[in-house]
Amino acid sequence: MDRRSQILTIAGHLFSQRGYHATSMRELARHLNLQGGSLYAHIQSKEELLLEVVRQAAERFQKVLEELPSGDPVTRMKALVKGHLRVIAEELPRATVFFHEWKHLSPPLLEEAKALRRRYEEGVQAVVEEGVRAGVFRVENVRLATLFVLSALNWTYQWYRPDGPLSLEALAEAYAELVLKALGVAASPEGERREEGGEDGEA
């Protein structure tokens, strides 16, 4: 990992744990074993770091959309849910900054961050719209349904921990079922059998 990548990684961790404003450049330099002045040989400002961390997270989320399988809307939505949660799990510090700390940017950097977030939201909405057009998703307001899906997925950054009671795979499967039900898709036969049999019903 080159020095700039190290700086971005440490910045992401500090911004997510302490908050952007509470993280000083001196503290960042100390974590990197650098003199304060040496840090500016690699970056221009703390705000530049914040935007770059937001960009990195946005790229990972955008890649989820780009790699969605072709096929029916249910399959695509399941892949979206699982991919989104995988990014949060694998990029928790950057995802936290993407969801929370981005708003501390000042214009015009703030506008870029908003555009990155909007681009992803529009991609998710397109998947919801596909399902509605196909008659598979039964929702009256596509925009509201999109915001609901994103809110449910995004909030996991607040409580997800790798050593929690649910594995990432189990969590993603459960979330996919919940999201599909919210979109008006009937439960899968396997899911119905699990509920009737009472197996694996506890989180």
Side-chain angles (χ1 to χ4, degrees):
M1 183 184 295
D2 61 32
R3 180 57 87 181
R4 183 173 174 81
S5 296
Q6 289 176 339
I7 292 171
L8 287 168
T9 297
I10 296 299
H13 279 280
L14 291 176
F15 293 162
S16 66
Q17 293 170 1
R18 302 170 185 261
Y20 173 70
H21 285 307
T23 302
S24 68
M25 292 296 276
R26 181 176 297 178
E27 183 179 16
L28 178 58
R30 181 169 57 80
H31 276 78
L32 290 158
N33 294 317
L34 285 174
Q35 295 294 324
S38 301
L39 194 54
Y40 288 99
H42 303 279
I43 61 168
Q44 293 181 0
S45 66
K46 188 171 80 165
E47 194 171 33
E48 178 207 355
L49 278 178
L50 177 57
L51 179 60
E52 189 60 34
V53 173
V54 169
R55 284 174 179 155
Q56 289 179 336
E59 287 172 5
R60 284 295 310 272
F61 284 117
Q62 196 62 35
K63 193 173 181 182
V64 170
L65 291 174
E66 293 169 359
E67 294 180 348
L68 288 181
S70 58
D72 68 281
V74 169
T75 298
R76 285 170 60 76
M77 181 56 71
K78 278 187 175 181
L80 191 157
V81 169
K82 293 179 179 181
H84 189 106
L85 293 179
R86 186 172 61 252
V87 172
I88 291 176
E90 294 176 355
E91 300 280 356
L92 191 55
R94 290 188 179 96
T96 300
V97 173
F98 182 75
F99 295 139
H100 192 264
E101 297 299 316
W102 66 276
K103 60 182 177 291
H104 297 303
L105 290 164
S106 58
L109 303 185
L110 180 63
E111 297 310 312
E112 180 177 342
K114 286 181 178 178
L116 291 170
R117 292 168 59 82
R118 187 164 55 247
R119 181 186 180 201
Y120 183 67
E121 289 174 5
E122 289 171 351
V124 174
Q125 183 165 319
V127 178
V128 176
E129 287 174 338
E130 288 173 16
V132 172
R133 285 197 302 270
V136 178
F137 298 160
R138 296 172 177 83
V139 295
E140 294 182 3
N141 188 317
V142 170
R143 178 60 180 160
L144 187 60
T146 301
L147 293 175
F148 174 83
V149 170
L150 285 169
S151 296
L153 295 175
N154 291 350
W155 193 248
T156 56
Y157 89 91
Q158 287 276 10
W159 54 263
Y160 173 78
R161 294 296 177 270
D163 57 352
L166 281 177
S167 67
L168 176 59
E169 292 74 17
L171 174 65
E173 190 64 39
Y175 255 66
E177 289 293 333
L178 288 169
V179 165
L180 289 172
K181 285 180 182 179
L183 293 173
V185 179
S188 66
E190 287 135 352
E192 290 172 353
R193 282 199 295 273
R194 275 201 306 272
E195 290 175 7
E196 290 170 3
E199 295 180 4
D200 302 326
E202 295 183 1

